[in-house]
Amino acid sequence: MTIFDWFRSIAAALNDDEPGRPFQRYALKDMIFAYNQAMCLVAQYRADLFTELTSIKLQAGKYQDVRGCCSKVLDVLDQLDEHGNVIKELKGSRAKATTVERNWKKASCLPAGPNDYRIQSVTIDKNLDGRFTVYPPVPCGVEAYVMVKCVHSPCPISEADQNATLDSECKHNAAAWHYVMAMMLTGDRFANGGATDKAYHYRMFFDLLGIQQRQDDRIESKEEA
């Protein structure tokens, strides 16, 4: 199924699918915007659906920022070599840093052989998504790699992607279908039973993801209705 066909199925459910003239009442660009919103919410509520193991090259120094690859780091599992072979398992290496380690803010440029560097401990701050620290700091000129359990940001789509294939088997796309329906009905004050239908589709979005709808979301939904 193409992205266009997927959105057209929503247009059909909204009686906006005249032959040769779909998306007259509900613009395709608005549906795509709602879909991208839905994916951001899916990633927020169900990070497991976007979690993968990824090999990452470390930067020199103690502080590591991998937000260009991972939106959130859940764990650092292993130290690897450049070929992906495991050098050392790091699970359970969350030892408390000493005062000297906590206060060290510079890159370590002490000499080290290409295969001599070993990570002793890793610290992940839950308040700093996509960042963590390693001890000892990675020496300058040394290539070090780790296997990270990270959450990837969903890729937004645009109207230019409408002929691409959409994986219709994914649970989050089934949930997103209902979210887009709810958002289209939100802006349509002339839809018969729109408020009731909107609340149903919004609830289905959460139910299909298997999560509890937040109380503030429910309040906001009622106010908009």
Side-chain angles (χ1 to χ4, degrees):
M1 175 182 286
T2 66
I3 290 175
F4 180 85
D5 292 335
W6 189 85
F7 283 109
R8 191 162 184 173
S9 72
I10 299 177
L14 292 167
N15 295 316
D16 188 24
D17 188 32
E18 291 186 33
R21 298 181 67 251
F23 310 113
Q24 295 301 303
R25 187 173 181 179
Y26 306 95
L28 177 59
K29 65 180 180 62
D30 293 336
M31 290 191 181
I32 290 176
F33 179 80
Y35 175 84
N36 290 330
Q37 281 187 316
M39 289 298 100
C40 288
L41 288 174
V42 173
Q44 175 184 341
Y45 289 114
R46 289 292 306 275
D48 58 296
L49 297 177
F50 294 90
T51 301
E52 296 180 3
L53 297 181
T54 305
S55 174
I56 292 176
K57 183 179 180 180
L58 298 180
Q59 307 160 17
K62 172 183 177 181
Y63 297 97
Q64 305 298 321
D65 187 342
V66 297
R67 284 175 291 177
C69 176
C70 304
S71 60
K72 186 175 183 178
V73 174
L74 300 179
D75 203 356
V76 181
L77 303 174
D78 305 297
Q79 181 176 351
L80 311 174
D81 63 17
E82 66 272 22
H83 304 295
N85 300 310
V86 176
I87 297 175
K88 179 182 179 181
E89 292 185 6
L90 299 174
K91 195 171 182 63
S93 62
R94 308 295 183 265
K96 291 184 178 180
T98 65
T99 302
V100 173
E101 294 171 20
R102 287 195 300 268
N103 294 332
W104 185 261
K105 302 184 183 304
K106 299 179 180 179
S108 174
C109 289
L110 296 175
N115 300 316
D116 294 341
Y117 174 71
R118 294 291 183 273
I119 298 172
Q120 295 180 19
S121 64
V122 177
T123 302
I124 299 174
D125 189 335
K126 294 181 179 180
N127 296 318
L128 294 173
D129 288 345
R131 285 156 285 183
F132 59 93
T133 61
V134 295
Y135 182 81
V138 180
C140 296
V142 169
E143 294 188 352
Y145 301 82
V146 290
M147 181 65 75
V148 173
K149 184 178 181 182
C150 69
V151 180
H152 295 276
S153 298
C155 296
I157 62 174
S158 67
E159 289 187 72
D161 303 316
Q162 60 185 283
N163 292 322
T165 301
L166 185 73
D167 186 359
S168 58
E169 299 301 319
C170 291
K171 178 189 293 185
H172 56 268
N173 280 330
W177 193 94
H178 288 279
Y179 185 89
V180 175
M181 282 284 291
M183 292 302 101
M184 295 304 99
L185 292 170
T186 296
D188 189 350
R189 298 185 180 277
F190 301 100
N192 294 326
T196 301
D197 290 343
K198 173 208 165 183
Y200 165 77
H201 288 294
Y202 196 62
R203 186 175 66 252
M204 282 298 296
F205 169 73
F206 286 93
D207 288 346
L208 286 173
L209 293 175
I211 57 179
Q212 183 81 24
Q213 185 176 351
R214 298 190 317 183
Q215 184 64 28
D216 54 343
D217 287 329
R218 288 181 179 150
I219 293 174
E220 182 180 349
S221 179
K222 290 179 181 178
E223 290 178 346
E224 290 176 354

